[in-house]
Amino acid sequence: MATGKRPVTLGIFGSGDVAPELVCDALNNQFDYGPEDAEGYFAPSDEFDLTVYLPASGAFTSEGVHRVWEWAVRCELPYRVLWDETGNARTVDVLGNVENAESDILIVDDISGALIECLTKAENSMLLVLSQDEVFDDATAEVAATALRAGLPVHDLSRALLEVTWRHLPDHEPPGAETGAGGQATLSVVSDAPDVTLSAQEAAVVSDAFTQAEELLDGLGNGLLTQISATRESLIHGRSLLAPKPEKPAEDGEPKKTRLEIFDPEKNAWVPAGRGRPPKGVQKRRVPA
């Protein structure tokens, strides 16, 4: 059914851990999800219609992937699982909460290859990867490189959705790259234009221009660009600290267990909410358990 919203497909991959606050703040801000309600669910996006692909595997269902699964559940998003029939302590959650196990769990031999294939077939896809201390493990770097070759945008969720480019993947060559003399990467250029012969002076000018460009890129990489990620994370963390916190009844400074009640107009009384989400629009409150 058409919703009028922009469809987006997200794929998740990576061994890095990431704070749940960063996951929620970065993705809610990027995709316009609303504030958290009393039960911990986020208000739906008015602009985006998301579908999420998650890996279920003893090797690939990391703590960070589980954090994204938790966010997807709190946004009540449809998600699909790529499962290689192995597992760990977190795959039970990912596999057990799908809407329809027959259609939403895809059994595959190669999770990373299947993930890229699903994303390339979907509309407005992007790959979210999870680094650890700003470094990708070999499997994650390979998936990121494959996604870039397929023309998919790649963003590092561990660094607040920093865009991943070839400079973040030093062990992988971009499309069209060839290894020249001395092992230096060169670009393969095909052109119908006539050959150009440079004088020694002209060649020196071109070489000097290349040197200046490389020095500029090095300066950006070692200066400004290295500060963007930390600054973005600091801003997102600050925003999360300013967000309203749910009230927690306390006694002598210690948190106290609470339960949810809803107002029953027929009984004219507050009654326990029971299991599941309360009816929309009902009055709710939390009281000491």
Side-chain angles (χ1 to χ4, degrees):
M1 183 176 67
T3 63
K5 302 178 183 179
R6 176 181 172 83
V8 175
T9 304
L10 299 180
I12 315 298
F13 199 93
S15 61
D17 194 4
V18 59
E21 295 83 7
L22 177 58
V23 172
C24 294
D25 286 346
L27 295 179
N28 285 351
N29 183 64
Q30 178 70 24
F31 296 109
D32 196 32
Y33 281 85
E36 178 183 2
D37 66 14
E39 287 74 53
Y41 292 84
F42 296 112
S45 172
D46 293 328
E47 185 176 353
F48 297 97
D49 189 8
L50 297 186
T51 299
V52 180
Y53 279 87
L54 297 166
S57 165
F60 300 134
T61 308
S62 63
E63 188 64 41
V65 168
H66 193 268
R67 304 280 195 204
V68 177
W69 168 80
E70 291 175 341
W71 169 79
V73 170
R74 294 174 68 185
C75 292
E76 299 182 287
L77 295 177
Y79 71 88
R80 293 176 179 173
V81 180
L82 302 172
W83 184 34
D84 64 2
E85 298 188 279
T86 67
N88 58 30
R90 295 172 289 272
T91 56
V92 177
D93 292 336
V94 175
L95 291 166
N97 204 63
V98 295
E99 184 174 345
N100 186 325
E102 291 187 2
S103 60
D104 294 335
I105 297 177
L106 309 177
I107 299 177
V108 300
D109 294 326
D110 177 13
I111 286 183
S112 59
L115 177 60
I116 299 302
E117 182 179 356
C118 290
L119 293 178
T120 54
K121 292 179 179 179
E123 191 173 2
N124 299 322
S125 298
M126 61 187 297
L127 175 67
L128 303 183
V129 288
L130 299 164
S131 63
Q132 187 68 46
D133 298 325
E134 303 186 3
V135 175
F136 297 119
D137 63 80
D138 291 343
T140 305
E142 182 63 36
V143 172
T146 304
L148 290 179
R149 292 189 186 101
L152 296 170
V154 182
H155 294 265
D156 185 359
L157 182 55
S158 299
R159 287 182 275 181
L161 297 178
L162 173 73
E163 182 179 6
V164 176
T165 62
W166 289 108
R167 72 181 183 86
H168 299 102
L169 305 170
D171 296 328
H172 295 267
E173 292 182 353
E178 296 180 347
T179 303
Q184 189 172 11
T186 62
L187 289 179
S188 177
V189 179
V190 178
S191 175
D192 294 331
D195 293 340
V196 175
T197 302
L198 300 179
S199 67
Q201 183 178 2
E202 290 169 335
V205 171
V206 172
S207 177
D208 184 59
F210 287 157
T211 300
Q212 291 184 44
E214 290 173 349
E215 290 176 350
L216 175 61
L217 292 175
D218 289 341
L220 288 173
N222 296 327
L224 179 61
L225 292 181
T226 58
Q227 300 175 34
I228 291 176
S229 175
T231 303
R232 183 183 285 112
E233 288 191 30
S234 177
L235 290 172
I236 290 176
H237 182 60
R239 186 184 297 114
S240 70
L241 295 178
L242 293 173
K245 303 295 191 301
E247 293 184 4
K248 294 182 180 179
E251 184 176 335
D252 297 329
E254 293 296 326
K256 188 174 182 181
K257 190 175 180 181
T258 65
R259 61 183 173 87
L260 183 66
E261 289 187 342
I262 62 174
F263 186 74
D264 187 336
E266 294 182 1
K267 297 180 180 179
N268 195 32
W270 291 92
V271 298
R275 298 185 64 183
R277 299 196 71 183
K280 189 174 182 180
V282 73
Q283 288 182 276
K284 298 170 284 188
R285 72 177 184 182
R286 286 199 171 273
V287 298

